[in-house]
Amino acid sequence: MLDTPEAVVEALRENNDRPHGLPRTITAEEIVEAAEPFDKPDVLVTALLELMEAYEFTGEHRKSPVVLARLLKLWDTAPEAFSQWEAHQVFWRFKWVTTSLLQVPEMPLATIQGWIEQMRTRYADADHGMQPVAAMRYHVAHHTGEGIADAYDLWATRPRTELSDCEACETRHLAEHRVTSGDDAGALDIWQPVLDGGMSCTEEPQMSQARALLPLLRAGRTDEARSHHLTGYRRVRGNTGMQDEVGFHLEFCALSRNEGRGLEILAENRPLFEATGAPLARLGFLTGAEVLLARLAEDGHTDTAVAGPPGRNWTAGELLAHVRAEADRLITAFDARNATTAVGDARRGRLAQRPLLAEPLPLGLRTSLTRPAAANATATAAPASSAGTDVPQDFAALVREARRLARAGHPGENRLWARIEERLADGSTAYDDELGPEELLRAELAEQRAYRLSREDRDAESTAELERAAELYAGLGMPWHALSARARSLAWLSASDDADHEASRTALDAVLAEAELLKTEAPLTPATGSADAPEEPSEVELEYLTVLYAATYAAYQEAARTLPEPTASATESFEERAGTLRAEAERLSAPHHVANALQFAADLAARSGDSERAEEGLRATLTAVDASGRPWRGSRPRALLAQLMLGKGEPAEAVELLHRALADAARYDDTDFAVAPSYALLGHAASRLDDLNGAVRHLSEAAARFDQDGAHDEATDVRLQLADVLARGGRQADAVAVLESVLAGEHGASGDERALAQARLTLARGLRELGEYLPAAEEFLRLADAVAGWEDDDDRQVLTLVAAEASTALAMADRWDAAATAYERAVAAHAEAPNPPLIIHMMCEFARLTLQARGPEGLDTALDHLTQADALLAAVPQDTEDFAVWYERGNVHYRRARVLAEAERFEQALAEAEAAVAAHEEGGEQGEVPRAEAVRIAALIEGNGLARFKEAVARLTAAAARCRAADLPEAARILDALREDYTKR
C-alpha cells in the first residue's frame, strides 16, 4: 500500500530497477497518483521524473509534455523540492518534449515552437548555453524540410554545453544529416566512434547501428553491416520505444535479400503494430514493414502467410494493404501539420529503393521462416558469365547445345537437359526429326534422369533408368553407348551399402570383357594430330573410356570400404583398373580421364592417412585438368587439395585453392559441386589466417547453403563453429545472436544433444559477459534441466558446472532466492560428481557478490560462504588429479582478504592477504602471477587501510623485483606504479 511518502519512495526505488516497458510505465502512473495527496513536493518531483522517463523509453510521447508542465509548475513554486540532479533534469527534458511533440501529427507546429521558445527563455534565465536550443530548432527543420541548412549551421557551429545531447546521440544526428544529404561516406566517418563502441548511452549504439545498415551496404562494407544487424537488432527487438529501429532492420533484410529473416523479425515484433503512442516512430516501423512486404508482393508471393497485428491471420498481400493504408493516413496527417511534403517524400524514397545486393547477404543465422523457392530466383540464377549455359529457345538448337555440352562433360548440360524434359512433358514442343531418331533423345534423357536419381541416393530407380537407356542404345545399333550405360549402372549400384558387391564385381568384369570384344571387332585407334594439339577423342572412344571409368569407380568404392587398412585384393583391383584407365586415356588423348584416375588414387591416399602421396596425386590431377581444356573439372580436386593444405598448416594456399574452386563452380554452372562444405572449409582457413571478417563471411555462407540443401544438422554445426570464431574474435554480441538463432526452433532442437548443450553453455556465458545476467541465468537453468538425466561420470560433472554457473548468474541478476536454490543444487551435484575448483570458485564469488549487494550487513553471510569453501577444500583427497591445493587455498584467502577489507576490518584482511601470498608461494613458477596479485592487495590494505605506507612500499619493491626476475614485466609495472604512488605520500 502506497499510503505513506516512505512507501512511495520505496516503490520508486523498486520500479527503477524494472526494465522499461508497459508494466513499469503503469506502475509509474500509479506511483504519481499515490504521491499527489502528500504535502511532499520532493516525492512528487521524483515520481513525475520517473513517469516521464517511462513515457520516453516506451514510446508514449503524447504524454510527456503534460508531465513536464507539472514539473515546471513545481519548479516555479517549490524549487527547493528539487535535488541538484533533478534540477538538471528539468532543463534536460525540454529536449524530450520537443522531440515528443514532433512525433504527434495533431500537435501544431506553433505549439512546438512555443515550447522551444520557453526552453530558450528558461535556459537564458539560468545562464545555460544555447546549443541545445539550436539543436531542437534543427530537429524541427529536418522534420519539416524547411530551413535545414541554416538550422544545421546554427546548431553544429555552436560549442557543446552540459545540457547538450550526449556525444553519442549528437553524433547520430550529425551522421544522419550527412545521410540525408547523400554523403554516406561522410556519415560513416562521423558514426565510426559510436559504431566501434567508443561512445555509448542508453540509446546507443543500437539507434546508430540501425540507421547505418543501408549506408554500410551501399558502401560495400557488408561485413560491418552484418555485424551491426546481428548485435543491433537484439537490443531493439520487441521494444516499443524502438519502433523506428525495428523498421530499419526490416528494411535492411529486404534490401540485402534476406526476406526470410525479415519475416521472422516481423513475427517477433507483432505487438509493435498496436503501439500508437509515438506516431512518427510508428510510421518508421510501418515503412520498414512495407518495404519488406512490397518485395514479397513484387516477387509474386502475396499469398505467403506473415505475422501482422494480433487477432487474425494475415497474408503478405493483406498485410501490405493494411500497412500501406495506415502509413498513408499518417503521412497525410504529418504533411498537413507541417504544410510540407518532407515526411511523405522520405517514405516514398524508402519505398523506391531496390535490393542493394545481387545475392542474399549471409547473416549466419538460422531463420525459421523462409521464402518460397521462386522468390529467390533472381539471387540463385546462374551467373551471367557462366560458360555455355544459355538456354536456346529453338528446340532443335536446345538439344544440339545439350549434346555439345554433354560430349565436353560440361556441368551446364544439366540445366539444358532439364529444360528439354520440361518442354517435352508440357506438350509445348513437337519432336524435330532433324535431331535423329527420337529413341536417341529418350535414351539421353534416361541417362540424365539416372544421374539425378543417383545424386538423391535413389539407386534402384537410377539403375532402372540406365538399363532403359542401354536398351534404347542397343536398339539404335550403338553398342558402346549401351555398354557405357550398363557399366555406370553397375558402378553406381556398387557404391550402395545394400548392394551385392560380389555380383556387381562379376557383372562389371563381364562388361569389361564385352568392351575388349568390341575393341577386337573395331579397334580404337588414336586420332591423328600434332603433339601440341592432339585431336579430341571420338564419341565411341569417350564411351569406351567411360566404361573404364565406371570400373575404376567401382574398384575405388570397394577399396574405400576397407579403409583405413584396405585389403590387398581391393588395393590390387583398384590399382589395376585405375592404371588401365590412365594408360588408355593417355593413349586416346583424353587428359580429363587421366585426371579422374589420379584423383581416385589421391583420395584413397588421403583417406588412408598418406597426405604426402595424396598431395602429389592432386597436384598431378590439376596438371591433367589444365591439359584437358575442361577447367570445370578442377573444382573438386582443388577443394580436396585445400583440405590437405589446411591440415598441413598452410591456410593461405587453402584459401587460394578454395576461392578458385568456388569461382569455377559458379562460372561453369556446376550445381553438383559441394558449395556448402567448401565455404565451411574456407571459413576455417580464413580463421587460421586471423581473417575474422573472412571467416565470418564464409561460415555464414556455408550455413545458408546447408539450409538451402535441407542439411539442417550440418548448418547447425557450422553456426556453432561461427559462434566460436566470433567469440574468440572479441565479437561476443554477434556470437550470442548466432547462438540464439541456433537454439530457437525445430532445427536447433534436432541437432546433436551434446553439441547443443555446449552451444547453450556458450550462449549463457556470452550473455553473462554482455551483462545480461538474468537471460544468462535462464539459459544456465535450461541447460541444467537438459543435462540432469545424463548418467556418465563426466556427464554428471556437467550438471555440477552448470548449476554453479547458474547460481552466480542469478546472484549477478539480483535474484537471490533463485540463486540460493541453484547454489544448493550445485553443492548437491558436487557430492555426486565432484568438481572442487568449480564449487570453491562459486563460493568465493558468492562471498564477493553478497557483500557487493548487501554491504556491511552481508559480511557474516559472505564469510560463511568462505568457511564452506575451506571445509570443501579440506575434504578433497590429497591425491586428487588436476587439483592444485595451493592455488585454491590461496584464492580463498585472497577473497577473504578482500571481503574483510571492504568491511574495513583491515588487520584481519592483511593477515588473510599474507596467507594468500604464502599459499601461492607453494606453487613455484605457476604461483608467481597470483602471488603478485595477492601482494598488491596486501599493499593496498596496508597503505590505504592502515596508513602503513613505508611497509607497503617495502613489500611492493621486493615483489616487483621478484616479478622482473620471473619475467613478468606487466605484473612488475603494476606493482611499481602503486609503489610510486605510495612513495609520494
Side-chain angles (χ1 to χ4, degrees):
M1 296 258 324
L2 303 179
D3 51 0
T4 66
E6 291 74 20
V8 169
V9 171
E10 181 59 30
L12 283 168
R13 185 179 296 111
E14 291 178 1
N15 203 39
N16 189 59
D17 291 336
R18 294 188 176 99
H20 285 293
L22 188 59
R24 176 169 173 170
T25 301
I26 292 173
T27 302
E29 291 174 333
E30 292 171 349
I31 291 173
V32 167
E33 185 177 347
E36 286 176 329
F38 304 121
D39 186 22
K40 297 283 290 184
D42 56 333
V43 175
L44 182 57
V45 165
T46 305
L48 287 169
L49 286 169
E50 161 65 21
L51 177 59
M52 191 173 181
E53 180 177 331
Y55 286 153
E56 176 71 14
F57 288 101
T58 52
E60 293 289 342
H61 293 285
R62 299 173 186 271
K63 302 176 181 179
S64 286
V66 176
V67 182
L68 183 59
R70 295 180 65 183
L71 282 165
L72 290 173
K73 185 176 180 180
L74 286 167
W75 175 258
D76 292 336
T77 58
E80 71 281 356
F82 292 76
S83 68
Q84 184 177 357
W85 179 83
E86 290 168 339
H88 177 83
Q89 287 298 304
V90 169
F91 291 97
W92 182 271
R93 296 190 183 189
F94 267 105
K95 298 181 296 182
W96 289 10
V97 168
T98 300
T99 54
S100 292
L101 294 179
L102 281 176
Q103 286 275 346
V104 184
E106 54 265 34
M107 189 61 62
L109 281 181
T111 301
I112 300 172
Q113 297 289 4
W115 272 100
I116 295 176
E117 182 58 27
Q118 183 180 175
M119 176 183 178
R120 187 198 66 76
T121 301
R122 287 185 179 268
Y123 271 45
D125 291 345
D127 201 26
H128 290 305
M130 291 293 115
Q131 194 259 15
V133 178
M136 294 304 103
R137 288 182 172 146
Y138 167 75
H139 292 323
V140 173
H142 183 268
H143 173 72
T144 62
E146 292 193 329
I148 296 177
D150 289 343
Y152 178 81
D153 288 341
L154 287 171
W155 162 50
T157 57
R158 276 185 161 85
R160 287 174 49 78
T161 76
E162 65 174 353
L163 287 168
S164 295
D165 280 344
C166 80
E167 197 168 358
C169 287
E170 194 158 272
T171 296
R172 177 181 76 247
H173 297 314
L174 291 168
E176 282 188 286
H177 179 81
R178 291 292 186 94
V179 171
T180 55
S181 302
D183 182 10
D184 284 342
L188 293 171
D189 286 343
I190 292 171
W191 251 321
Q192 207 59 46
V194 178
L195 298 178
D196 286 347
M199 297 178 185
S200 64
C201 68
T202 56
E203 297 179 332
E204 290 294 349
Q206 58 266 36
M207 292 183 76
S208 287
Q209 286 176 312
R211 287 161 172 76
L213 291 172
L214 294 188
L216 285 167
L217 278 187
R218 289 192 291 262
R221 293 162 61 173
T222 53
D223 292 331
E224 294 167 79
R226 176 195 301 109
S227 177
H228 291 306
H229 170 65
L230 294 180
T231 59
Y233 173 67
R234 287 191 71 252
R235 294 185 174 107
V236 304
R237 65 183 173 199
N239 187 339
T240 55
M242 292 280 174
Q243 294 181 81
D244 239 343
E245 286 65 34
V246 174
F248 284 123
H249 283 280
L250 288 169
E251 180 180 51
F252 164 80
C253 289
L255 300 181
S256 65
R257 296 189 182 275
N258 280 284
E259 292 89 343
R261 166 70 168 165
L263 290 177
E264 190 166 76
I265 289 175
L266 208 59
E268 290 178 336
N269 291 275
R270 291 188 81 176
L272 297 192
F273 283 106
E274 298 180 312
T276 59
L280 189 59
R282 175 176 173 76
L283 176 62
F285 168 68
L286 293 174
T287 300
E290 189 174 353
V291 172
L292 173 68
L293 295 166
R295 287 281 309 127
L296 288 172
E298 184 178 325
D299 283 346
H301 297 292
T302 55
D303 294 331
T304 298
V306 299
R312 57 160 287 189
N313 296 326
W314 296 86
T315 65
E318 292 167 342
L319 185 57
L320 175 60
H322 173 82
V323 165
R324 186 168 284 161
E326 175 68 8
D328 284 345
R329 184 187 66 77
L330 288 170
I331 286 296
T332 300
F334 276 114
D335 284 350
R337 189 270 301 275
N338 300 336
T340 68
T341 61
V343 177
D345 290 344
R347 172 172 170 256
R348 285 184 285 274
R350 290 176 70 180
L351 294 175
Q353 297 174 106
R354 307 300 302 158
L356 296 168
L357 302 174
E359 295 187 4
L361 174 66
L363 299 176
L365 302 176
R366 184 199 63 78
T367 58
S368 58
L369 296 171
T370 56
R371 295 176 59 187
N376 287 318
T378 304
T380 58
S385 61
S386 292
T389 56
D390 290 338
V391 181
Q393 294 303 308
D394 178 73
F395 185 73
L398 176 61
V399 173
R400 281 193 290 269
E401 180 64 5
R403 286 172 174 169
R404 184 186 72 82
L405 293 181
R407 176 180 168 79
H410 193 296
E413 67 170 304
N414 296 332
R415 185 183 303 277
L416 303 190
W417 289 117
R419 182 59 182 146
I420 290 168
E421 199 157 26
E422 288 171 8
R423 291 183 62 173
L424 289 173
D426 64 20
S428 62
T429 299
Y431 187 77
D432 191 334
D433 290 338
E434 71 177 73
L435 293 171
E438 187 173 353
E439 287 77 4
L440 174 59
L441 182 58
R442 287 166 53 200
E444 291 166 328
L445 290 173
E447 287 184 297
Q448 288 300 312
R449 285 193 297 275
Y451 180 73
R452 290 200 303 274
L453 290 165
S454 74
R455 300 292 293 176
E456 298 170 9
D457 295 326
R458 295 161 65 179
D459 300 320
E461 295 168 83
S462 174
T463 299
E465 289 289 346
L466 281 170
E467 289 173 351
R468 181 183 177 204
E471 291 174 5
L472 288 167
Y473 282 130
L476 290 166
M478 302 173 69
W480 278 112
H481 289 73
L483 203 59
S484 168
R486 285 168 53 202
R488 276 174 284 152
S489 74
L490 292 167
W492 293 352
L493 190 60
S494 73
S496 171
D497 292 335
D498 300 327
D500 183 341
H501 298 116
E502 184 64 34
S504 295
R505 190 182 310 114
T506 301
L508 266 172
D509 287 341
V511 167
L512 290 173
E514 286 186 55
E516 289 301 314
L517 181 60
L518 283 175
K519 281 171 59 182
T520 302
E521 295 174 356
L524 302 178
T525 306
T528 58
S530 68
D532 294 333
E535 193 170 314
E536 282 282 316
S538 68
E539 190 171 342
V540 165
E541 289 165 345
L542 287 174
E543 295 300 329
Y544 162 62
L545 290 172
T546 299
V547 171
L548 298 182
Y549 170 85
T552 305
Y553 175 76
Y556 158 82
Q557 289 290 343
E558 182 177 358
R561 280 193 297 274
T562 65
L563 291 174
E565 297 180 4
T567 63
S569 61
T571 301
E572 182 181 350
S573 175
F574 169 75
E575 289 177 350
E576 178 186 349
R577 289 184 173 177
T580 301
L581 172 61
R582 180 175 177 181
E584 287 294 87
E586 288 173 345
R587 182 176 73 85
L588 297 172
S589 301
H592 63 284
H593 274 302
V594 173
N596 287 333
L598 290 167
Q599 185 174 335
F600 281 137
D603 185 68
L604 287 175
R607 292 190 184 199
S608 61
D610 190 346
S611 56
E612 184 175 343
R613 187 158 63 93
E615 179 185 346
E616 181 183 349
L618 287 170
R619 293 193 188 280
T621 299
L622 290 171
T623 299
V625 168
D626 290 341
S628 73
R630 301 182 179 197
W632 47 85
R633 290 184 171 270
S635 291
R636 287 163 183 76
R638 282 192 177 89
L640 290 171
L641 181 58
Q643 193 169 359
L644 285 177
M645 291 300 97
L646 194 56
K648 191 178 176 181
E650 297 184 17
E653 185 178 1
V655 166
E656 183 180 345
L657 287 163
L658 288 164
H659 276 304
R660 172 72 185 276
L662 287 161
D664 282 351
R667 179 183 179 188
Y668 298 113
D669 199 12
D670 188 351
T671 56
D672 291 327
F673 180 67
V675 172
S678 296
Y679 271 115
L681 195 62
L682 186 54
H684 294 308
S687 177
R688 295 273 291 276
L689 290 171
D690 294 325
D691 176 11
L692 176 61
N693 285 335
V696 171
R697 183 164 57 250
H698 302 315
L699 290 172
S700 298
E701 183 71 44
R705 298 276 185 164
F706 276 126
D707 275 341
Q708 289 172 15
D709 295 341
H712 298 300
D713 286 350
E714 289 83 352
T716 293
D717 183 59
V718 168
R719 288 191 172 98
L720 296 179
Q721 296 166 37
L722 170 61
D724 181 63
V725 167
L726 287 165
R728 286 189 286 108
R731 286 164 54 176
Q732 192 63 255
D734 295 48
V736 163
V738 171
L739 288 168
E740 285 179 334
S741 80
V742 167
L743 293 167
E746 54 179 318
H747 297 315
S750 67
D752 177 76
E753 181 182 32
R754 280 164 174 72
L756 293 174
Q758 180 61 51
R760 197 172 295 282
L761 178 62
T762 306
L763 172 59
R765 288 171 170 171
L767 290 165
R768 183 178 61 196
E769 186 174 322
L770 294 175
E772 299 180 33
Y773 300 124
L774 187 56
E778 291 169 350
E779 292 298 336
F780 279 126
L781 292 173
R782 288 191 189 99
L783 181 55
D785 291 340
V787 304
W790 292 5
E791 296 182 355
D792 291 347
D793 289 344
D794 290 342
D795 289 343
R796 288 202 300 272
Q797 280 203 344
V798 174
L799 178 59
T800 308
L801 180 149
V802 172
E805 297 209 38
S807 67
T808 54
L810 285 162
M812 289 175 177
D814 203 27
R815 298 294 195 273
W816 285 96
D817 289 344
T821 300
Y823 184 101
E824 294 304 323
R825 186 179 189 181
V827 172
H830 168 73
E832 295 291 326
N835 191 332
L838 180 73
I839 301 301
I840 290 170
H841 175 76
M842 177 191 74
M843 291 171 171
C844 289
E845 276 293 278
F846 260 73
R848 177 183 71 83
L849 293 167
T850 298
L851 201 64
Q852 178 181 298
R854 296 172 55 190
E857 294 180 4
L859 177 61
D860 289 343
T861 303
L863 291 174
D864 182 61
H865 285 302
L866 294 170
T867 300
Q868 292 180 51
D870 284 332
L872 189 151
L873 184 59
V876 177
Q878 292 293 319
D879 58 350
T880 300
E881 292 185 11
D882 300 322
F883 184 72
V885 176
W886 62 266
Y887 179 81
E888 301 301 339
R889 187 169 63 249
N891 273 354
V892 176
H893 283 304
Y894 172 85
R895 179 52 56 196
R896 187 178 283 111
R898 298 201 65 164
V899 165
L900 289 165
E902 288 182 40
E904 299 186 359
R905 291 165 59 171
F906 297 119
E907 290 289 0
Q908 293 172 279
L910 180 58
E912 287 295 327
E914 289 176 334
V917 173
H920 290 310
E921 185 95 31
E922 298 174 19
E925 290 184 6
Q926 291 181 310
E928 288 298 331
V929 172
R931 180 189 184 282
E933 170 59 15
V935 170
R936 185 183 73 87
I937 290 300
L940 284 169
I941 295 168
E942 207 164 27
N944 294 354
L946 298 170
R948 300 174 187 168
F949 295 109
K950 182 178 179 181
E951 291 85 345
V953 167
R955 185 189 299 274
L956 290 164
T957 300
R962 179 169 176 149
C963 286
R964 280 188 287 273
D967 195 24
L968 298 171
E970 181 60 19
R973 184 192 65 76
I974 293 170
L975 295 172
D976 282 337
L978 182 58
R979 178 181 58 80
E980 290 173 12
D981 180 45
Y982 281 172
T983 301
K984 298 173 184 176
R985 300 194 184 190

